Amino acid sequence: MGRGRHAGAEQTQLQILGMQRRSRCGYCHTPNGSSCFGARARLLRCSDYQALIDRGWRRSGSLLYLTDHSSSCCAYYSIRTHALSHTLQQSEKKLLRKWRRWELLGDSAPGSALDSSVVTAGRRLVVRLEPAAYSEEKYLVFERYQRAVHNDMDASRSGFQSFLCSSPLMFDDTTDGAASGRLLSRGLGSYHQCYYVDGRLAAVGVIDVLPTCVSSVYLFYDPEFSDLSLGTYSSLREIALVRELNRYVSPDIKYYYMGYFIPSCPKMTYKARWRPAELLDLVTFEWIPIDQCLERIRQHPAFCTFDPRISSRNIVRNSRRDVLSWAPVISSCTLNGGERRAAMQLVFWIGPRNSVLGSNLACISKELEQVVWQTAASLGLPLASRAILSI
């Protein structure tokens, strides 16, 4: 982690960027692109980021973003699995048998190969969990991965540092006990789970450990080890980490968050196989079992709510395909009268010395008024009220 700060009495600090337009979609590769509401996190408490990802937010380095479904080509649904209830499928057991055959793991029952998550020594494999930090060894693996897998010939050291090493999350070491310190050397925060094969760094899983979950950020690996199915194995290890954290650190840590499930993108639908899985409903902010969601998604491929009490036809309009007519977590339509008045009392900093109320910003221009509404609706008023906001 770049800053190495601990939460203490520090407040979350967010620079509101407003609506951002992506010129090209990274998933369906259409030129239409997508829109998101963005914020730059200078400091971010782990509990506040937990609140954000439970409203559909994700992070890339210090950039926080929330998709605007009213003008995006793909539907993005946050997905998580109940790690405590996950059982190995036949394909996963087969992978572990293969690793034992290659002497990467010792002889053990299928699940026990995943039990120790800090330092695990197999015959050829060592897995180490450490605070997120830059090293030249990690960068060189990342560069080779970007070239081979994503055809990215310009993966710079500075880009790698800002994307996967520097995190705005402040370490939270409020948990007690020797077991907690053994698993998480600095408490909740951002970590790298490093996989070494025969002494060589083979892969790095970038994760955020939060109050109720382990959130997967990114995985990169050395292409020379591509036949090891490191993507599948790393997910199993991260699910196992959730179980250990639940047992030794906090019983509240139960879930494995996998980012976005994008039904229209074959590369992203694999996440549904980690069962039991749930999708986040961006209208009700409830997590719904995925099997209850898939039929609704087929009926409304651009966006839908999964709440059976709400008709999707009431919140989508039909053109050549269903398009959301208002983005629930960004639109001011979701704020009632009291919440709209509270939003006008939010404090925004302009530079280090000057602050202004949301109501004063709203008087300057309609565009700034919209930013105030969107900030309150997307962050949620409790977080928007306690964070230090700047524009």
Side-chain angles (χ1 to χ4, degrees):
M1 180 174 294
R3 287 184 175 86
R5 290 178 181 258
H6 286 258
E10 295 265 22
Q11 291 174 266
T12 289
Q13 299 180 21
L14 301 176
Q15 178 190 7
I16 304 302
L17 304 177
M19 296 303 301
Q20 308 287 303
R21 184 74 188 174
R22 300 187 186 105
S23 59
R24 182 177 174 83
C25 179
Y27 298 105
C28 68
H29 302 295
T30 64
N32 299 332
S34 61
S35 295
C36 66
F37 189 75
R40 182 76 62 184
R42 294 192 174 97
L43 295 174
L44 184 59
R45 295 182 68 93
C46 290
S47 56
D48 287 340
Y49 186 47
Q50 180 73 66
L52 287 174
I53 64 174
D54 283 331
R55 295 179 69 86
W57 288 78
R58 297 296 295 174
R59 78 171 183 91
S60 175
S62 63
L63 176 65
L64 308 177
Y65 57 94
L66 176 64
T67 299
D68 174 11
H69 285 88
S70 66
S71 62
S72 296
C73 48
C74 297
Y76 298 67
Y77 299 102
S78 295
I79 185 170
R80 72 180 187 183
T81 189
H82 285 263
L84 306 187
S85 302
H86 175 264
T87 56
L88 292 174
Q89 300 179 11
Q90 282 302 115
S91 60
E92 295 156 4
K93 294 177 181 178
K94 182 178 178 181
L95 171 63
L96 296 181
R97 287 195 296 268
K98 181 174 74 172
W99 277 49
R100 291 194 187 93
R101 210 165 45 243
W102 292 348
E103 298 187 339
L104 287 162
L105 302 173
D107 294 327
S108 57
S112 60
L114 305 171
D115 287 344
S116 181
S117 301
V118 180
V119 177
T120 298
R123 295 178 182 176
R124 296 172 54 199
L125 172 72
V126 172
V127 182
R128 182 174 290 110
L129 184 68
E130 60 188 46
Y134 177 91
S135 75
E136 187 69 7
E137 182 182 33
K138 293 175 186 175
Y139 165 70
L140 292 175
V141 172
F142 173 75
E143 182 192 37
R144 289 194 288 270
Y145 172 81
Q146 291 296 107
R147 285 175 177 267
V149 178
H150 296 294
N151 198 31
D152 177 6
M153 305 302 172
D154 301 311
S156 66
R157 287 172 172 81
S158 61
F160 171 63
Q161 167 78 33
S162 61
F163 175 35
L164 296 175
C165 301
S166 296
S167 168
L169 287 176
M170 294 178 280
F171 285 114
D172 183 349
D173 55 4
T174 55
T175 54
D176 297 321
S180 174
R182 179 181 67 85
L183 286 168
L184 301 175
S185 60
R186 302 183 69 178
L188 304 181
S190 297
Y191 286 84
H192 286 170
Q193 186 143 271
C194 303
Y195 300 81
Y196 296 88
V197 175
D198 296 332
R200 285 182 55 191
L201 181 62
V204 177
V206 184
I207 60 174
D208 292 330
V209 182
L210 302 173
T212 68
C213 74
V214 169
S215 175
S216 177
V217 178
Y218 201 72
L219 173 81
F220 58 94
Y221 56 83
D222 190 323
E224 289 189 28
F225 296 97
S226 59
D227 57 343
L228 295 183
S229 302
L230 286 163
T232 298
Y233 184 73
S234 66
S235 293
L236 293 174
R237 292 297 305 227
E238 289 164 8
I239 289 172
L241 176 60
V242 175
R243 293 179 171 184
E244 284 196 281
L245 294 173
N246 173 269
R247 182 177 180 182
Y248 296 113
V249 176
S250 169
D252 294 331
I253 302 176
K254 302 175 182 178
Y255 303 103
Y256 177 50
Y257 284 50
M258 297 168 282
Y260 287 133
F261 173 76
I262 304 176
S264 60
C265 178
K267 291 192 302 183
M268 303 298 284
T269 55
Y270 75 92
K271 297 177 181 181
R273 80 176 190 229
W274 305 108
R275 301 298 182 100
E278 296 176 322
L279 300 184
L280 178 65
D281 189 312
L282 288 178
V283 174
T284 64
F285 301 118
E286 295 176 354
W287 290 92
I288 309 297
I290 193 169
D291 289 332
Q292 297 179 28
C293 304
L294 295 178
E295 178 59 30
R296 195 96 165 189
I297 289 173
R298 281 190 286 269
Q299 294 172 357
H300 302 283
F303 179 86
C304 66
T305 175
F306 308 126
D307 191 332
R309 297 167 296 181
I310 303 174
S311 172
S312 288
R313 296 186 183 279
N314 292 338
I315 64 165
V316 298
R317 65 177 185 271
N318 292 317
S319 55
R320 276 180 280 184
R321 63 174 186 159
D322 293 333
V323 179
L324 187 69
S325 60
W326 53 283
V329 289
I330 298 174
S331 172
S332 60
C333 297
T334 61
L335 301 174
N336 61 35
E339 290 169 335
R340 291 168 75 89
R341 288 190 293 272
M344 290 293 104
Q345 297 305 307
L346 294 176
V347 176
F348 293 83
W349 287 86
I350 304 174
R353 297 180 181 274
N354 300 312
S355 63
V356 61
L357 290 177
S359 57
N360 294 331
L361 285 177
C363 291
I364 296 173
S365 70
K366 286 292 184 183
E367 181 180 349
L368 287 174
E369 180 185 41
Q370 191 67 16
V371 170
V372 174
W373 298 136
Q374 290 168 338
T375 299
S378 62
L379 298 181
L381 273 170
L383 174 53
S385 300
R386 66 176 175 264
I388 298 174
L389 306 177
S390 64
I391 56 175

